[in-house]
Amino acid sequence: MYQRKIPIDYECGLSVAMEVVGSKWKFCILDEVSKGIKRPKDLVNAINGITKRVLQKQLRELELHGLLEKTIYTEVPLRVEYHLTASGRSLLPLVSAVDQWGMGFSSQLKTILETEE
């Protein structure tokens, strides 16, 4: 079994939050699922740059942490859909705030990165 080198500090809210949503893609996944996109294939198409393998790993982690629920329909072909849990919905204001901040900062970041080259 995997043993962490650095344990999670459960007394620090930032440590807990970063453990749960601290990745390049999790906010994007939560945002898209909140908009109604629920199937993995549609998420891959909606999120620019994510691979199927990474999406599956991130979905598994979000489900493990209780932010998403998975419904499997026993049809041919098999259909899987993801839905936000109450904990996942409670993160949406944070996702929205980070999105707004990012949109406001994007032109500044573009300038910084262009002058760095």
Side-chain angles (χ1 to χ4, degrees), residues 32-101:
E32 292 299 332
V33 172
S34 76
K35 293 176 184 175
I37 296 176
K38 298 171 180 17
R39 299 186 70 194
K41 178 183 176 191
D42 297 330
L43 288 168
V44 167
N45 293 334
I47 301 171
N48 189 24
I50 195 168
T51 64
K52 291 178 186 178
R53 179 176 172 265
V54 170
L55 176 66
Q56 286 303 320
K57 182 179 186 297
Q58 300 295 296
L59 287 170
R60 208 174 310 117
E61 289 177 10
L62 287 167
E63 188 181 4
L64 174 72
H65 290 127
L67 301 179
L68 291 180
E69 288 179 340
K70 176 168 63 171
T71 305
I72 301 172
Y73 297 93
T74 54
E75 305 170 344
V76 177
L78 189 68
R79 182 168 53 118
V80 176
E81 290 184 350
Y82 289 89
H83 308 277
L84 290 172
T85 64
S87 295
R89 283 189 297 277
S90 73
L91 267 174
L92 293 180
L94 179 60
V95 172
S96 177
V98 170
D99 181 47
Q100 289 175 356
W101 181 87

Side-chain angles (χ1 to χ4, degrees), residues 24 34 37 43 49 53 85 93 95 103 105 107 110 112 115:
K24 181 176 180 178
S34 76
I37 296 176
L43 288 168
R53 179 176 172 265
T85 64
V95 172
M103 293 306 295
F105 190 72
S107 62
K110 183 178 179 183
I112 291 167
T115 58

Side-chain angles (χ1 to χ4, degrees), residues 8-22 65:
I8 299 170
D9 180 2
Y10 294 105
E11 301 299 317
C12 176
L14 291 174
S15 293
V16 173
M18 291 306 293
E19 174 65 25
V20 175
V21 292
H65 290 127

